[in-house]
Amino acid sequence: MHNSQEGRKLKVGVLGATGTVGQRFIALLSEHPYFVIHALGASQRSAGKPYSKAVTWKQTRPIPSAVREMPVHECKPEYFASCSVVFSGLDAEVAGDIESAFRAAELVVFSNAKNFRRDPNVPLIVPLVNTSHFSLIPQQRSLHSPPLKKGFIVTNANCSTTAVVVPLAALEKAFGPIESCMITTMQAISGAGYPGLPSLDILDNVVPYISGEEEKIEWETLKILGGVTETDEGLKAFDMHARHPFRISASCNRVAVVEGHTECVSLRFARRPPPSPQQVREALANYTSDAYALGCPSAPRHTIFVHEEPDRPQPRLDRDFQQGAGVCVGRVRQCRVLDIKFVVMANNVAIGAATSSIINAEFAVNKGLIT
Amino acid sequence: MHNSQEGRKLKVGVLGATGTVGQRFIALLSEHPYFVIHALGASQRSAGKPYSKAVTWKQTRPIPSAVREMPVHECKPEYFASCSVVFSGLDAEVAGDIESAFRAAELVVFSNAKNFRRDPNVPLIVPLVNTSHFSLIPQQRSLHSPPLKKGFIVTNANCSTTAVVVPLAALEKAFGPIESCMITTMQAISGAGYPGLPSLDILDNVVPYISGEEEKIEWETLKILGGVTETDEGLKAFDMHARHPFRISASCNRVAVVEGHTECVSLRFARRPPPSPQQVREALANYTSDAYALGCPSAPRHTIFVHEEPDRPQPRLDRDFQQGAGVCVGRVRQCRVLDIKFVVMANNVAIGAATSSIINAEFAVNKGLIT
Amino acid sequence: MHNSQEGRKLKVGVLGATGTVGQRFIALLSEHPYFVIHALGASQRSAGKPYSKAVTWKQTRPIPSAVREMPVHECKPEYFASCSVVFSGLDAEVAGDIESAFRAAELVVFSNAKNFRRDPNVPLIVPLVNTSHFSLIPQQRSLHSPPLKKGFIVTNANCSTTAVVVPLAALEKAFGPIESCMITTMQAISGAGYPGLPSLDILDNVVPYISGEEEKIEWETLKILGGVTETDEGLKAFDMHARHPFRISASCNRVAVVEGHTECVSLRFARRPPPSPQQVREALANYTSDAYALGCPSAPRHTIFVHEEPDRPQPRLDRDFQQGAGVCVGRVRQCRVLDIKFVVMANNVAIGAATSSIINAEFAVNKGLIT
Amino acid sequence: MHNSQEGRKLKVGVLGATGTVGQRFIALLSEHPYFVIHALGASQRSAGKPYSKAVTWKQTRPIPSAVREMPVHECKPEYFASCSVVFSGLDAEVAGDIESAFRAAELVVFSNAKNFRRDPNVPLIVPLVNTSHFSLIPQQRSLHSPPLKKGFIVTNANCSTTAVVVPLAALEKAFGPIESCMITTMQAISGAGYPGLPSLDILDNVVPYISGEEEKIEWETLKILGGVTETDEGLKAFDMHARHPFRISASCNRVAVVEGHTECVSLRFARRPPPSPQQVREALANYTSDAYALGCPSAPRHTIFVHEEPDRPQPRLDRDFQQGAGVCVGRVRQCRVLDIKFVVMANNVAIGAATSSIINAEFAVNKGLIT
């Protein structure tokens, strides 16, 4: 049995605590069954203030009382020494150095930042998909200089990637490799953080471009859906879906939605004939994440909720289902160009960000990776 | 030379004059160089009232003074007998019978309704693309019972079809047949008419479904981009792109935009190797419609305006360019699944509706089909 | 002690169960500590269907499982005979006759409809303000023909009225009569029901008019804030604030907000000198409703939450606080024309509609008016 | 006759040319009958670049071809020496020093910035209201050190002030002094410039606060509607409406509208009995600005357009009427607290900003103040 099941609480820290993702971490962690917020980190400008003075709180729930008066520290490992887990909502400009320093200080970091996603020793884990990639952690520790006993970094994926890899993983599990996939996203403004998108750019408008986003989807999907192989030198390595070539093409758009990314997906299976829409629907609905099976408390009961109504999922109506921890799929039907097409919607600030980090941490606790 | 060039004005009528498309017809025709609004038709409820009393005017320009006091008639041919052209913005529920009756009365009808789009003797014409389909008109007249001397019906396409067929036509002209095409639309609320979409359905939301829309795009595109062949019986027929199979898959979404449909398009050419993005950009920018070449006054100078900025076209910024009579393309780039992908944006109430009918009528006048 | 505190559940019915307010009733009642949904009523068109087939569910939570398969009945008293309370979310077109019939059948009706709000024997109760008006119930029963033993009707106020009377009541309690009050509302689209406002009317727009709304605010406020007097004939009557003349002027606007009415209020007290902004802030924050004091489970702990930040309350951030059961006030400051001005925001579908009816019913249970 | 009427063109410059107001100046001036853009000024960062490279153009019309390649200069008088008029769209942070320097160099500056609005020698002119305040210019020049021959500064008002002073001026002209006025605004996001308001703050929301805005309305209105008196020292001075005390109370809100400020206004006249709503309607409709009477080409024919429909004006439908150069009023009716209430809507980026400066300059040309 892992620690938490014995009723012991684990102290956790939050880096970038005043930012958009950091606020979401705090809102979620304040109600967590065994993680307890112990330390908050932000920029030098915020350091020394009580949290309620340092933050411009933009969540719909008030600031949790437990953190209102908690002091904000600079993001230095010494202030987080007693934290079993550190969640990072840092901006990419500073996340690289800070997260490195925390790992070097034997801290465990679950990061939303993109800096380490392409690191060959850092798992990029969508907790409803590829928790098997935790198997790289021992190697990450041993290759570190000096080798680490406890510290490691795990990243989670970009929010738009997260939405789509969940159904893709379910379908590969059921029907074998996918050969190609076209994704067109309609992404919420909260994906850009705060202040993020100027209102003049998006009210009564669509912006058919998000810098770097298409590349992230195309690359991250391969790392997440790929396996772990062994190199000639005896090292573990992410195979980037090398067992079967997988072509992905993404087109990313920003729309006037506060929360919830909607994505139109078409795909072609390697297997001929391909599964029918009904078989696809069933495979999606039956897919269960290992995280849920293992009892991670933040993992959703329905990894993928499959809508039957012709006009769902919709971000405003479906983004809060299961606290946004799962993904919703609808309109599963045949595609005249590839095989199957459908719509997927996921809450970009829940499963697309903070919730993913937290489930990853719960999984790591469960597997004994955190002590 | 045709009549208009001799300075003669042509009387025109508008059916469905109080509706969304009808209002747009009136706004455009009130500034037309040679069409003059002569008669207005609407439902029985409006008949007998002056136009300004019958309409709930929703355009940003005031009601043109020339029609304010013009009486609204029922949609019966007798009230339109002296009209050289009748524009129809009727709802599909009534358009079929009324437009039939007008044609039978030797009137010329340019219709936005969907009722006759699939009729094998009625051209479905996007004026920036396939004005060559006017060649079917003599057969439409001769096969009518009794045969007609002057009357005919021409339809224009659904607004979301119109946007995409313009660049597709330009590319087929330059590079030969397209083999497959994926289209994901983000459509404006004005495409649904008035009252149309309830505000509760679309504010802070995306609706990933528009009833019948995907089928329209997939079918209409083939009729428009196809040619005219001769059957064994010596009749002309639309070949539905039969010279080369063309697979089209559309996914339609409604977004919180007032005007302007944005569509993400990916396509594969038959020709190997395919053209480069730069060749595609040039072919699009150089494409000129026959309607413009012939001097139709409402045809835009730039059939396709190609944006170089990475984040354009955008509906709010680009929908009024050239009074919305052309289409805008941007983000031409390689696609990892098909060959090329790009974004197209077109004003759904201008080139996507009333403007198309008007250019079609200008073309017919120019070709002597209207007397 | 009342029944509920002995752990007994009370069966309740919902009229207009498929409409916007009805859906909200069902969502709230499905989690209620002692009300249990027992019967659902809707139009003839829905009758006979299971609820999940009859409704177009538009709430962000899924249909509660307890009502999914519950049959929908016509709104006839016989189907609701065993209900201790009937909540009505009926449209005004039908509410009058149906609610009358239910009362005549000795049923207790808590209604959101406007039909009986001006009835001199029907209390118009905002549960955070004037539960004292329940004192009219015995007279309502005795004057009914034939006299009733159990049946009665209580209405709650229009959503925009509800928001403003709560702080007004708090201020009159603390500082004596208000002499005049100017109210400018910015109301959410959900206040108009579904389909309600066409999206073309409100996207990128303000509509400075809501039919009948200003009159409702001006009249209902007087009934709610007024007292109960005795007439020469020995009858009880609402005094419409006659003890001190109170002039109210409202200007109502619709804005592009899904949920939450925001209202700018300025007022002048009879008392000279008037209270200071700080005194007003304290009086608002200290005000507690009798419903909360008595332990009504849906009454909010903070009847009025007073914001100190200069830019709050805001509908998107504050409408879900306390499940929308209270009201939020901010920007309390001096007014150069009257005495004091402030901003009030209330959730129009929670405290502005269904939640008010439910707290009213809880209060009536507590007072022994429901058996 | 003034110069322009002899067909001579006047060279003008634009300061802050790359900003929101500067772009609007350029769009308007590129179609002006006698002002010709000659020089552009922006920050050091833009200096030296052709305009099209320096600007992120956000207007719905393309960059006018005449300025595409025009070089952008730093905002130093030497580059604008041959300009008869300089329009300033500078930010307040830099406008003070730059505009001072331009005036000292004998240049004529029409400014949108707030820096000089409270200067006792600088007129604050809404061109549809108080062009009589140009009478202060000789004194502004003579009191300058050293005295000026040609240079001066004129400011125009804040956009939300401009909307309301036009009907207030019309009513004071017709019915004498107004004693008190309550104003609640619903302001468009474009009023905050670019990037301005973060989209997360305004989508599905109202922000009931705009920093400093209420004070601006309350103070500027008095300066604009006030007269010019002579002091004991023989100097001219703005009397701030001292001839009759005028109390103004404003409440400012930001709403999800791109362009067009809507304001609910209630007012009390000194005169008893007050005029009727119908008299008010007529006075508003009949009011004509001196600028229009004198033939200023950008002055609107209808200074105030009075709507009869109950639900107008609305920003989306009415902001482009007369290119946004006038104001629209509707819903004139009695107020139960003060005398009369109505709704006013004005285009904040047209008459509320650039258009006002341009009409002011046209007026000055007409009066011979510019040579």
Side-chain angles (χ1 to χ4, degrees), chain A residues 20 58 189-190 193-204 256-258 319, chain D residues 20 58 189-190 193-204 256-258 319:
Chain A
T20 303
K58 294 277 179 182
I189 56 173
S190 51
Y194 185 85
L197 222 62
S199 52
L200 276 171
D201 282 344
I202 199 64
L203 202 66
D204 182 21
V257 166
V258 173
R319 65 192 171 203
Chain D
T20 303
K58 293 278 179 181
I189 55 173
S190 51
Y194 186 85
L197 222 62
S199 52
L200 275 171
D201 282 344
I202 200 63
L203 202 66
D204 182 20
V257 167
V258 174
R319 65 192 171 203

Side-chain angles (χ1 to χ4, degrees), chain C residues 185-259:
Chain C
T185 71
M186 293 167 283
Q187 298 183 225
I189 57 173
S190 51
Y194 185 86
L197 221 64
S199 52
L200 275 171
D201 282 344
I202 200 63
L203 202 65
D204 182 20
N205 207 11
V206 167
V207 180
Y209 176 67
I210 302 173
S211 179
E213 195 82 356
E214 296 172 355
E215 294 75 12
K216 282 184 201 165
I217 292 178
E218 292 169 5
W219 193 91
E220 294 181 4
T221 296
L222 294 181
K223 182 166 179 181
I224 294 162
L225 294 184
V228 175
T229 55
E230 200 141 329
T231 66
D232 295 346
E233 296 82 22
L235 288 176
K236 289 185 167 182
F238 300 109
D239 74 2
M240 300 300 293
H241 211 275
R243 68 191 185 276
H244 198 290
F246 186 174
R247 291 178 299 151
I248 305 170
S249 174
S251 295
C252 293
N253 303 280
R254 192 74 74 186
V255 294
V257 167
V258 173
E259 220 170 282

Side-chain angles (χ1 to χ4, degrees), chain B residues 20 58 189-190 193-204 255-258 316 319, chain C residues 20 58 189-190 193-204 255-258 316 319:
Chain B
T20 302
K58 293 278 180 182
I189 56 173
S190 51
Y194 186 86
L197 222 63
S199 51
L200 275 171
D201 282 344
I202 200 62
L203 202 65
D204 183 20
V255 294
V257 167
V258 173
R316 194 172 77 74
R319 64 194 172 202
Chain C
T20 302
K58 293 278 179 181
I189 57 173
S190 51
Y194 185 86
L197 221 64
S199 52
L200 275 171
D201 282 344
I202 200 63
L203 202 65
D204 182 20
V255 294
V257 167
V258 173
R316 194 173 76 73
R319 65 194 172 202

Side-chain angles (χ1 to χ4, degrees), chain D residues 172-206:
Chain D
E172 291 213 316
K173 186 178 175 192
F175 307 114
I178 295 170
E179 220 169 69
S180 54
C181 179
M182 302 270 306
I183 303 161
T184 303
T185 71
M186 293 167 282
Q187 300 184 223
I189 55 173
S190 51
Y194 186 85
L197 222 62
S199 52
L200 275 171
D201 282 344
I202 200 63
L203 202 66
D204 182 20
N205 207 11
V206 166

